[in-house]
């Protein structure tokens, strides 16, 4: 008998001799199985930097995105068809410790460039996805009186932003994915009406969520939604308590109004 065994390879991409911790890492794997990572490196005493690592299948190369940051949050990363790396992250600097800015950094032609997407206390939580035409879609939170949820889309030149509602999310955990029909699906924890709901948002990807769904799941598990077309949906919930129960449904139209 001949027995084959798949090899496992351990690759260490960041073995800096300077002591520090890594935070907020995000990962992207392209169609050639090349790996891209964005992450913060914290050396203590507000000494941080945002780094990028790329694994081409045999070796890692590292580059520095931003050395001005003094805090770390979750990053988001994608790579488009032109091999341009896009990283979204929160930027807080010693020059302006009262303002949190959401920054879009791009790596192309061997250099990093960046621009501000949102300078209004934004970027503590981000989730980024991309369609087949290299348009970017971003769902993120902003630290207002509580966390606000916001949406932005990028057509290769400009960012278009939509603000949904205040006092909406709990902390900064958001997650967004795109399906094969280019529809966007988002989940996040909500503190709207102090209910502590787990909420789901659905939207079309034509540069703004032109239609969507927000379902409050608290106390009503196994809720399902079927979109028949762009104007019709069906909502199914299990039986509520004997004395009745409420499932709130909010349809979002373009501009973020319900």
């Amino acid at each position: 008998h001949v027995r084959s065994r798949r090899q496992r390879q351990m690759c260490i991409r960041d073995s800096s001799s300077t002591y520090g911790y890594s935070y907020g890492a995000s990962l992207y794997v392209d169609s050639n199985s090349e790996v891209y990572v964005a992450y913060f490196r914290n050396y203590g005493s507000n000494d941080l930097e945002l780094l990028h690592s790329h694994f081409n299948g045999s070796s890692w190369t590292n580059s520095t995105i931003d050395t001005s940051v003094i805090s770390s949050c979750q990053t988001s990363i994608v790579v488009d068809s032109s091999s341009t790396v896009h990283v979204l992250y929160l930027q807080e600097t010693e020059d302006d410790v009262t303002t949190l800015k959401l920054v879009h950094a791009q790596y192309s032609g061997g250099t990093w460039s960046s621009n501000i997407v949102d300078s209004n206390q934004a970027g503590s939580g981000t989730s980024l996805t991309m369609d087949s035409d290299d348009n970017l879609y971003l769902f993120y939170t902003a630290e207002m009186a509580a966390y606000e949820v916001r949406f932005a889309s990028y057509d290769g030149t400009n960012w278009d932003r939509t603000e949904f509602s205040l006092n909406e999310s709990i902390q900064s955990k958001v997650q967004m994915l795109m399906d094969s029909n280019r529809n966007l699906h988002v989940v996040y924890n909500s503190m709207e009406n102090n209910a502590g709901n787990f909420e789901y948002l659905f939207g079309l990807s034509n540069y703004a969520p032109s239609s969507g769904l927000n379902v409050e799941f608290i106390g009503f598990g196994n809720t399902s939604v079927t979109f028949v077309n762009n104007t019709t949906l069906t909502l199914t919930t299990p039986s509520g308590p004997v004395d009745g129960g409420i499932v709130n449904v909010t349809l979002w139209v373009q501009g973020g109004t319900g």
Side-chain angles (χ1 to χ4, degrees):
H1 297 279
V2 177
R3 181 176 298 174
S4 63
R5 178 177 297 174
R6 177 178 295 178
Q7 267 192 329
R8 289 186 177 182
Q9 183 179 25
M10 178 64 71
C11 301
I12 301 174
R13 54 166 176 74
D14 186 351
S15 56
S16 172
S17 59
T18 305
Y19 181 78
Y21 294 99
S22 297
Y23 296 97
S26 57
L27 176 71
Y28 185 85
V29 182
D30 68 14
S31 58
N32 296 317
S33 298
E34 296 192 20
V35 179
Y36 303 80
V37 185
Y39 60 102
F40 287 95
R41 190 75 166 165
N42 188 341
Y43 304 103
S45 301
N46 288 339
D47 181 13
L48 289 85
E49 57 184 351
L50 178 64
L51 303 174
H52 168 254
S53 294
H54 171 216
F55 182 67
N56 63 8
S58 59
S59 62
W60 288 94
T61 57
N62 303 317
S63 59
T64 301
I65 303 173
D66 192 340
T67 59
S68 68
V69 291
I70 61 172
S71 62
S72 60
C73 284
Q74 182 64 44
T75 61
S76 293
I77 185 171
V78 296
V79 181
D80 66 26
S81 60
S82 299
S83 298
T84 298
V85 181
H86 301 267
V87 176
L88 275 294
Y89 66 98
L90 177 144
Q91 184 189 68
E92 181 183 13
T93 66
E94 289 185 342
D95 295 334
D96 188 3
V97 296
T98 63
T99 303
L100 304 178
K101 297 182 285 289
L102 176 62
V103 176
H104 173 208
Q106 300 182 67
Y107 185 77
S108 179
T111 60
W112 284 97
S113 61
S114 64
N115 65 290
I116 297 174
V117 178
D118 193 332
S119 60
N120 188 13
Q121 305 302 99
S124 54
T126 61
S127 186
L128 178 67
T129 191
M130 178 177 61
D131 66 21
S132 57
D133 296 319
D134 291 338
N135 299 306
L136 306 184
Y137 305 93
L138 177 69
F139 199 80
Y140 63 102
T141 60
E143 295 185 11
M144 307 301 288
Y147 287 89
E148 178 183 345
V149 291
R150 298 176 181 173
F151 174 81
S153 58
Y154 181 71
D155 61 4
T157 304
N158 300 305
W159 282 97
D160 182 37
R161 288 168 32 207
T162 299
E163 298 182 3
F164 282 101
S165 60
L166 291 169
N167 303 321
E168 182 65 22
S169 69
I170 297 175
Q171 297 179 348
S172 57
K173 306 300 183 184
V174 293
Q175 182 66 47
M176 177 173 65
L177 293 174
M178 177 178 288
D179 64 24
S180 58
N181 294 317
R182 296 172 65 156
N183 297 312
L184 299 172
H185 304 261
V186 182
V187 290
Y188 59 93
N189 291 324
S190 171
M191 62 175 295
E192 189 175 21
N193 300 321
N194 295 316
N197 299 316
F198 179 71
E199 298 194 349
Y200 165 79
L201 179 68
F202 171 95
L204 304 179
S205 59
N206 55 345
Y207 305 115
S210 57
S211 65
L213 176 71
N214 178 333
V215 180
E216 296 187 3
F217 286 91
I218 186 167
F220 304 96
N222 301 318
T223 301
S224 65
V225 179
T226 301
F227 283 80
V228 179
N229 52 48
N230 287 341
T231 60
T232 306
L233 60 86
T234 59
L235 174 66
T236 305
T237 67
S239 301
V242 176
D243 57 352
I246 298 174
V247 173
N248 297 320
V249 177
T250 302
L251 290 179
W252 296 90
V253 297
Q254 187 168 348
T257 58

